[in-house]
């Protein structure tokens, strides 16, 4: 039982350690990449099928080209500051010919959850977009409305828009500089994410589990030694202390 306990504690400690490392990596990625200078997206995703590395998550990139306004898609049931609404995603055709999905921001629900009251117009002409690289999301197999999706699944959106999107990531817009002044009225920027729970908590749990593994083995050795002493006839047995009320009972 002591060995089983120790093995279980070791594995639970390793699980908490991996959670600690994952949280610490995410916190470093967010802090290091969020406000770094933007770079060209091809320096991170050089090919259409390139995969976004975890170390490149939240890196800023600059895009030059124009929106394909007719291909706009709304992503349903998206939270922002305690409210739920839509995120507006639009394919962006770069001057080099590649197409990247851009998330322009968040809009509130309409009177019902079927559609928003209004969607801000997409700026025409040549645009410079600066934003953060985000990995695509798994597809949610739920009922959807035409022109809307339930998650930012790049493969699904590519099929709906008929555009060959850069498959490794999409860009969450931070700023855009259109040739003509265009307001962002009605579009709310998504806030900077929190770095998550304090990673030190998981480190503490890992150490506690590993201490528990050692404690279980120590308890077994102490118990074994005590039983050995109790069974040893040559070992003097400590007489039982007689209390006053025990003598009176006799």
């Amino acid at each position: 039982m002591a060995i089983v306990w120790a093995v279980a504690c070791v594995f639970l400690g390793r699980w908490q350690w991996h959670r600690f490392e994952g949280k610490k990596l995410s916190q470093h990625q967010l802090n290091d990449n969020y406000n770094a200078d933007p770079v060209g997206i091809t320096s991170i995703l050089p090919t259409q099928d390139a995969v976004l590395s975890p170390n490149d998550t939240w890196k800023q990139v600059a895009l030059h080209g124009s929106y394909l306004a007719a291909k706009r898609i709304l992503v349903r049931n998206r939270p922002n500051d305690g409210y739920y609404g839509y995120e507006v995603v639009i394919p962006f055709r770069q001057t080099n010919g590649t197409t990247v999905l851009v998330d322009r921001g968040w809009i509130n629900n309409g009177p019902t959850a079927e559609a928003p009251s209004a969607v801000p117009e997409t700026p025409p002409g040549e645009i410079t977009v600066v934003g953060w690289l985000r990995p695509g999301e798994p597809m949610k197999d739920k009922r959807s409305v035409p022109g809307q999706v339930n998650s930012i699944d790049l493969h699904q959106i590519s099929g709906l828009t008929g555009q060959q999107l850069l498959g490794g990531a999409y860009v969450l817009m931070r700023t855009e500089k259109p040739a003509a002044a265009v307001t962002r009225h009605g579009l709310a920027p998504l806030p900077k994410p929190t770095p998550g729970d304090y990673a030190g908590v998981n480190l503490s749990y890992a150490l506690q589990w590993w201490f528990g593994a050692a404690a279980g083995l120590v308890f077994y050795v102490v118990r074994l030694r005590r039983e050995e002493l109790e069974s040893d006839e040559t070992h003097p047995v400590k007489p039982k202390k007689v209390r006053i009320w025990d003598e009176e009972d006799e």
Side-chain angles (χ1 to χ4, degrees):
M1 288 295 295
I3 292 174
V4 171
W5 165 259
V7 170
C9 286
V10 168
F11 279 99
L12 287 169
R14 285 172 58 85
W15 170 60
Q16 289 291 346
W17 177 262
H18 290 315
R19 292 194 64 194
F20 160 72
E21 288 186 321
K23 285 182 179 181
K24 194 171 182 181
L25 176 61
S26 297
Q27 291 168 2
H28 280 304
Q29 288 171 350
L30 182 60
N31 294 332
D32 294 343
N33 295 343
Y34 196 80
N35 288 315
D37 294 334
V39 298
I41 194 169
T42 54
S43 66
I44 300 174
L45 300 172
T47 64
Q48 190 75 23
D49 299 324
V51 178
L52 182 65
S53 164
N55 292 328
D56 293 326
T57 301
W58 289 113
K59 276 193 175 178
Q60 284 199 102
V61 293
L63 309 176
H64 305 284
S66 57
Y67 286 114
L68 304 180
K71 306 296 183 180
R72 182 185 67 199
I73 296 286
L74 299 180
V75 189
R76 298 168 55 85
N77 201 31
R78 306 292 282 195
N80 185 17
D81 196 23
Y83 296 92
Y84 282 81
Y86 301 84
E87 289 178 38
V88 182
V89 297
I90 308 175
F92 186 90
R93 179 72 51 78
Q94 296 192 93
T95 53
N96 65 4
T98 60
T99 305
V100 183
L101 188 69
V102 174
D103 185 342
R104 292 193 68 226
W106 183 91
I107 56 176
N108 208 345
N109 273 327
T112 69
E114 288 295 317
S117 299
V119 181
E121 292 184 7
T122 305
E126 192 166 319
I127 305 291
T128 297
V129 171
V130 173
W132 299 281
L133 282 175
R134 303 292 297 130
E137 302 170 356
M139 185 175 69
K140 294 182 179 178
D141 188 17
K142 295 182 179 179
R143 184 184 70 86
S144 190
V145 177
Q148 300 179 13
V149 292
N150 294 302
S151 65
I152 306 179
D153 177 73
L154 297 172
H155 180 73
Q156 181 190 21
I157 295 175
S158 179
L160 291 174
T161 59
Q163 300 297 313
Q164 188 178 9
L165 299 173
L166 191 68
Y170 70 96
V171 174
L172 176 60
M173 189 186 75
R174 185 174 196 175
T175 62
E176 59 187 10
K177 296 179 180 179
V182 175
T183 179
R184 196 177 179 176
H185 178 69
L187 273 172
L190 293 169
K192 180 181 179 179
T194 57
D197 298 333
Y198 177 54
V201 172
N202 298 98
L203 175 61
S204 173
Y205 288 158
L207 295 176
Q208 289 177 39
W209 280 118
W210 290 333
F211 176 79
L217 296 175
V218 169
F219 173 80
Y220 169 74
V221 172
V222 171
R223 182 74 179 181
L224 187 66
R225 177 61 176 165
R226 181 177 297 175
E227 290 182 359
E228 182 183 2
L229 293 175
E230 289 175 354
S231 62
D232 188 358
E233 297 179 355
T234 62
H235 189 271
V237 179
K238 185 177 180 180
K240 181 180 178 182
K241 184 177 181 180
V242 179
R243 296 171 295 185
I244 296 176
W245 46 86
D246 291 335
E247 292 177 346
E248 291 176 353
D249 291 342
E250 292 176 356

